Amino acid sequence: KTIIKYPEGKKDSSYKILDSITNIANCAFSYCTSLTEIIIPNSVTSIGKSAFSECSNLKEITIPNSVTSIGNYAFSECSSLTEITIPNSVTSIEQSTFSYCTSLTEIIIPDSVTSIDRYAFYECRSFTILCRDNSIAKTYAEENSIKYIIDDNGPTIEFTTDGTNGKTLSTNTQILVEDLIAGLDYSSIKYYIGTESEGITKEKIETSYTENE
């Protein structure tokens, strides 16, 4: 199923896309200036061209790991958006996907991304790319004089799926430590976990951790 168009005149500040939706059509949410938060379910696999363009008050949006393609201009002129994480299911960032996101301060790009258009971040004036060493994202940042931070190391979180067996995740998809671990003050640490994290909840994550050396 495809969401075709969200009513431009609707005044709600938050909207959750239905779990039955798999595609967000071109311009589906464009010019919806009242929206500050949009929740995309794991059922969605594609985000169309200009899908959220000129949502000028949009501050929070999470792109789930189910998404494999993001169209041109998808988040163009989302001038209130400050942070974004590209999931490790995405392999390319297209032309002007985040152009004129003038409040953008940080974007996390996994090494699954093998192509970034030259104008993907056009007129994004001051932002930092978090990426892996030897990644396309690092090369892109260097070629375009964009500040970047290499984030190869980070804390490894152990969790249990059945209450007894612990498992340590590999490193790929970004999440915030403070969102998951009660009592730890790691407000600025980002780290990467793999696709094995699908369905993991706060309750499944233990309050122990080990930092990579």
Side-chain angles (χ1 to χ4, degrees):
K1 291 183 178 181
T2 300
I3 184 166
I4 302 298
K5 187 63 180 173
Y6 181 88
E8 288 180 22
K10 199 170 181 180
K11 299 299 182 183
D12 293 353
S13 61
S14 179
Y15 180 73
K16 183 181 185 301
I17 297 172
L18 296 175
D19 291 340
S20 57
I21 297 298
T22 57
N23 302 293
I24 300 173
N26 297 347
C27 304
F29 290 87
S30 57
Y31 298 97
C32 293
T33 56
S34 65
L35 287 170
T36 62
E37 178 187 34
I38 299 172
I39 301 169
I40 304 175
N42 287 325
S43 57
V44 171
T45 59
S46 68
I47 297 174
K49 296 178 181 179
S50 301
F52 301 98
S53 63
E54 301 201 44
C55 290
S56 57
N57 290 305
L58 183 64
K59 296 178 180 179
E60 295 183 42
I61 191 164
T62 300
I63 305 172
N65 281 332
S66 55
V67 171
T68 58
S69 65
I70 303 172
N72 298 356
Y73 298 89
F75 296 93
S76 178
E77 299 191 54
C78 289
S79 54
S80 297
L81 196 63
T82 58
E83 296 183 4
I84 198 78
T85 298
I86 304 298
N88 59 10
S89 49
V90 169
T91 59
S92 65
I93 303 175
E94 305 297 335
Q95 179 183 358
S96 295
T97 299
F98 298 99
S99 61
Y100 294 96
C101 289
T102 52
S103 296
L104 188 67
T105 59
E106 179 179 286
I107 183 164
I108 296 174
I109 304 178
D111 49 13
S112 62
V113 172
T114 57
S115 173
I116 304 175
D117 186 85
R118 179 181 177 183
Y119 297 106
F121 302 98
Y122 184 69
E123 288 296 318
C124 294
R125 297 166 188 161
S126 181
F127 71 102
T128 300
I129 293 175
L130 272 68
C131 59
R132 295 293 195 90
D133 200 7
N134 301 315
S135 65
I136 291 297
K138 178 189 175 184
T139 301
Y140 176 86
E142 291 177 334
E143 290 177 350
N144 292 277
S145 301
I146 298 170
K147 181 180 177 181
Y148 66 92
I149 296 174
I150 299 301
D151 195 8
D152 279 336
N153 295 318
T156 300
I157 302 300
E158 295 186 353
F159 67 95
T160 57
T161 55
D162 61 3
T164 56
N165 296 324
K167 182 182 292 186
T168 301
L169 295 175
S170 59
T171 58
N172 274 316
T173 303
Q174 178 268 347
I175 57 176
L176 291 174
V177 172
E178 70 269 21
D179 287 341
L180 300 172
I181 307 301
L184 293 180
D185 184 17
Y186 277 83
S187 59
S188 64
I189 293 178
K190 302 273 191 299
Y191 66 94
Y192 295 84
I193 59 176
T195 54
E196 291 176 294
S197 64
E198 293 290 335
I200 298 305
T201 64
K202 291 181 183 180
E203 290 73 23
K204 291 180 180 177
I205 298 184
E206 298 175 333
T207 57
S208 62
Y209 72 97
T210 57
E211 271 191 71
N212 292 334
E213 296 297 331

